[in-house]
Amino acid sequence: MIIDKAMNTHKPTSNFFGNIGKIAIALSVLAAGMAFTNPPRDKYLTYASGVLETEFKNTVRNDSRVPKALSGVAETFLTSQRGSIEHLLDNTTERQNFGVVSIYTTQLGKKSYQTVGAFGNFVTLPPSSANAEK
């Protein structure tokens, strides 16, 4: 006598290794995207000089000791010196490139500023008290 086996004899197994593979592929694609969009040093210098210029302008505008007539001249001067500001930042900045992200450390006076560059953008962290004392 011939006995047919049931059509669905497949026992459900854990799909753990299949999920790990999918996660590994997703992380690889994310890392490749981050590496591709990791901003270069010249982009950082443009960003940092813009931030520094804005901070100086706000300080000049908000300082009650600076006459209004001079604040306009100071702002024009700062705008015209953008290249010099970038050169200063270039000489005082160290870049740590991790492939997918870069950390820029800029030493200005007694303060050290760290900026993280990833996905084509920058985030500047406030100086910590330990950095401010250096």
Side-chain angles (χ1 to χ4, degrees):
M1 174 152 101
I2 299 175
I3 300 174
D4 290 332
K5 291 185 178 180
M7 295 297 289
N8 189 4
T9 60
H10 179 65
K11 295 180 182 175
T13 58
S14 172
N15 202 11
F16 178 75
F17 291 107
N19 290 338
I20 292 292
K22 291 175 187 175
I23 291 171
I25 290 171
L27 289 175
S28 297
V29 168
L30 178 66
M34 288 179 73
F36 184 70
T37 60
N38 187 3
R41 187 178 183 90
D42 61 333
K43 298 285 184 194
Y44 168 74
L45 295 174
T46 302
Y47 162 80
S49 65
V51 169
L52 193 59
E53 181 182 339
T54 301
E55 289 296 320
F56 283 153
K57 285 180 179 179
N58 288 339
T59 300
V60 168
R61 276 189 214 128
N62 297 333
D63 193 348
S64 61
R65 297 173 292 177
V66 177
K68 293 293 181 195
L70 286 179
S71 67
V73 172
E75 288 182 26
T76 304
F77 176 75
L78 286 171
T79 303
S80 69
Q81 295 303 311
R82 184 83 178 253
S84 298
I85 293 171
E86 284 185 18
H87 184 68
L88 168 73
L89 291 171
D90 192 26
N91 290 333
T92 60
T93 298
E94 178 185 319
R95 178 184 187 197
Q96 294 173 307
N97 186 359
F98 298 104
V100 295
V101 66
S102 291
I103 299 175
Y104 298 90
T105 305
T106 302
Q107 189 75 31
L108 293 174
K110 294 182 180 181
K111 291 188 179 180
S112 180
Y113 298 90
Q114 288 190 328
T115 302
V116 178
F119 294 110
N121 295 306
F122 298 98
V123 176
T124 301
L125 307 172
S128 65
S129 58
N131 286 342
E133 292 174 6
K134 285 184 180 179

